[in-house]
Amino acid sequence: MSDIVQWNEADTRHQAEWRSENGSPLPRKVQVADDRINADQAYKLVCEGTALLWRGDFQNARQLLQALTRRIERKAKTYTGSNLLEAFHFQRQMQVQRVRILSMLLIAVEPDYSIALRRAPDLQLAFNEAFGAPASAFVMPLRELQGLIGAHEWRKNGIPIPALGASIHPHYRVFAPTRNEYIDLLVQAELPPKARTAFDIGTGTGVLAAVLAQRGLASVVATDQEARAISCAKDNLQRLGLSHQVQLQQVDLFPEGKADVIVCNPPWLPCRPSSRLEAAIYDPESRMLCGFLNGVAAHLTPHGQAWLVLSDLAERLGMRSREQLNDWIKAAGLQVKTRLDTRPRHRRAQDQADPLHAVRSNEVVSLWVLQLAR
């Protein structure tokens, strides 16, 4: 049963479905607001727990969200300690609070996916891509609506992947390969002799399955437990002309059978995600990593290889040790054949104002090539 958000407007009680893909909690107190409210008034209300359902000009709502963001940033606390793990968790806590406050500015969407506000864009195509056929009216945070618009633009324009010589088109709520330096490692790695089959575990957009297919693996099975990811991967493989080589399966981790190469790029940090999309980054208690390691030996051919893509950021933050990772590999009946390393090229690695700059600037992303213990 869907959550229902309620509010009073023109002396009448109204209600609509509450929709938050980020998992923002249902607002218990909602007040109608329009262009007459100023940013200071709005900031006070949302900080006190009153959500604002916008009835003014759509572009003014966007400007108000920006104004709220500036006020949050001005009042944001700065971590003054020297413990890197504490600094990481402090940043995460500040981000959660920021998202909570910004998610209190709401937009009502009509049953046909229109938005009944002045200067509102036509987002029916973006809504159809994200949610399928329209059904009923709903209310969602403006911040998430902007994310939906951004996802639509990414899907339309794509993200260039030099290793593929083509672009990958992420779908809404499917993690985008914006950090793609690790993809080059999959191109550089030497395939096992006579390798013909591969599995891509947790395929997401399908980018790694596409790399394996382009490298000449005759049969690739790509898996993911999320239906949106399977749909996204299917779209990308069709665009690349690789559908005949790659079979998609909606399963948790492994398909049936064995393969010569089994690739997995699990979430890199062993902590709890604060939203659904963060599940591609944060893996509580390293569940997916351990699930892959503990199960992969049973799915490898005798001379097959498991290719594990992993950052050492968790090690640098003190969340996991290299010794622990090596112990997990050994306990799974595997051994390290070789490891290929690369350095991050993303913007945050260059941001010296980031309290975690010392960690991010030295981060190493590795392709661990594992084989059955002899």
Side-chain angles (χ1 to χ4, degrees):
M1 181 178 178
S2 299
D3 286 331
I4 301 298
V5 60
Q6 299 181 335
W7 69 95
N8 290 321
E9 188 173 6
D11 298 324
T12 304
R13 191 68 169 167
H14 296 265
Q15 66 177 34
E17 177 188 343
W18 171 246
R19 183 167 294 185
S20 171
E21 294 287 322
N22 282 343
S24 296
L26 173 72
R28 300 300 178 184
K29 187 176 181 181
V30 179
Q31 176 178 314
V32 172
D34 58 26
D35 304 314
R36 293 171 292 182
I37 194 171
N38 64 47
D40 288 333
Q41 293 170 329
Y43 183 71
K44 182 175 185 295
L45 285 167
V46 297
C47 287
E48 292 173 346
T50 298
L52 302 177
L53 178 62
W54 192 254
R55 292 304 197 192
D57 179 89
F58 182 85
Q59 302 306 323
N60 286 348
R62 292 181 58 203
Q63 292 178 13
L64 177 58
L65 192 65
Q66 293 171 359
L68 293 175
T69 302
R70 290 192 295 270
R71 280 159 176 77
I72 293 170
E73 291 173 348
R74 284 202 299 265
K75 294 179 180 294
K77 298 177 182 179
T78 302
Y79 181 76
T80 56
S82 58
N83 185 291
L84 290 173
L85 183 57
E86 288 182 2
F88 170 79
H89 286 302
F90 181 85
Q91 278 195 332
R92 292 267 295 142
Q93 184 181 26
M94 291 299 101
Q95 177 64 13
V96 169
Q97 292 181 3
R98 181 177 184 272
V99 170
R100 178 184 60 80
I101 293 172
L102 294 180
S103 295
M104 299 290 273
L105 184 56
L106 313 179
I107 296 293
V109 181
E110 302 300 318
D112 63 351
Y113 285 152
S114 63
I115 298 174
L117 300 177
R118 295 188 307 276
R119 293 199 294 170
D122 181 356
L123 299 177
Q124 290 178 316
L125 177 57
F127 276 123
N128 271 284
E129 287 176 347
F131 302 140
S136 59
F138 59 91
V139 170
M140 70 183 299
L142 173 58
R143 183 177 181 274
E144 291 192 32
L145 179 60
Q146 290 182 322
L148 182 144
I149 295 170
H152 171 68
E153 291 301 314
W154 262 354
R155 179 168 178 169
K156 180 173 64 176
N157 299 321
I159 297 174
I161 306 295
L164 281 176
S167 291
I168 285 291
H169 297 255
H171 288 195
Y172 180 65
R173 310 305 298 176
V174 179
F175 192 72
T178 52
R179 277 193 61 175
N180 54 49
E181 64 269 4
Y182 62 88
I183 298 175
D184 295 335
L185 299 179
L186 269 76
V187 177
Q188 298 164 14
E190 183 179 354
L191 290 168
K194 300 180 181 180
R196 291 183 50 79
T197 58
F199 294 163
D200 174 22
I201 308 303
T203 193
T205 61
V207 61
L208 299 187
V211 170
L212 294 170
Q214 279 199 353
R215 290 205 60 186
L217 279 299
S219 174
V220 180
V221 179
T223 72
D224 205 291
Q225 61 181 349
E226 297 293 336
R228 279 175 169 157
I230 294 296
S231 177
C232 178
K234 180 179 180 180
D235 175 38
N236 281 307
L237 293 165
Q238 287 176 340
R239 290 173 183 266
L240 295 168
L242 298 172
S243 298
H244 64 290
Q245 282 175 260
V246 183
Q247 176 190 351
L248 294 163
Q249 292 186 21
Q250 187 178 349
V251 298
D252 185 11
L253 294 178
F254 300 98
E256 293 183 1
K258 297 187 177 186
D260 301 314
V261 178
I262 304 180
V263 175
C264 184
N265 176 22
W268 291 345
L269 293 173
C271 55
R272 185 170 61 87
S274 61
S275 69
R276 296 186 183 111
L277 188 59
E278 282 192 347
I281 306 170
Y282 302 110
D283 182 21
E285 301 176 353
S286 300
R287 292 172 191 166
M288 183 175 180
L289 170 59
C290 292
F292 174 74
L293 290 174
N294 292 334
V296 72
H299 293 275
L300 282 174
T301 56
H303 299 286
Q305 296 176 0
W307 290 4
L308 173 65
V309 178
L310 202 62
S311 161
D312 69 350
L313 190 60
E315 297 172 20
R316 294 180 182 276
L317 289 170
M319 295 179 173
R320 179 175 60 232
S321 69
R322 178 60 57 91
E323 181 181 14
Q324 185 178 35
L325 177 59
N326 283 323
D327 286 345
W328 288 346
I329 291 171
K330 183 178 179 180
L334 303 167
Q335 64 185 30
V336 180
K337 182 178 187 296
T338 188
R339 194 183 75 234
L340 304 179
D341 298 331
T342 189
R343 302 299 291 271
R345 299 191 291 263
H346 59 92
R347 178 181 57 82
R348 295 186 72 181
Q350 314 302 323
D351 182 6
Q352 296 187 15
D354 185 344
L356 297 175
H357 175 258
V359 174
R360 298 191 195 280
S361 61
N362 291 300
E363 178 188 4
V364 175
V365 179
S366 301
L367 175 61
W368 294 75
V369 179
L370 310 174
Q371 62 188 13
L372 297 172
R374 307 301 182 194

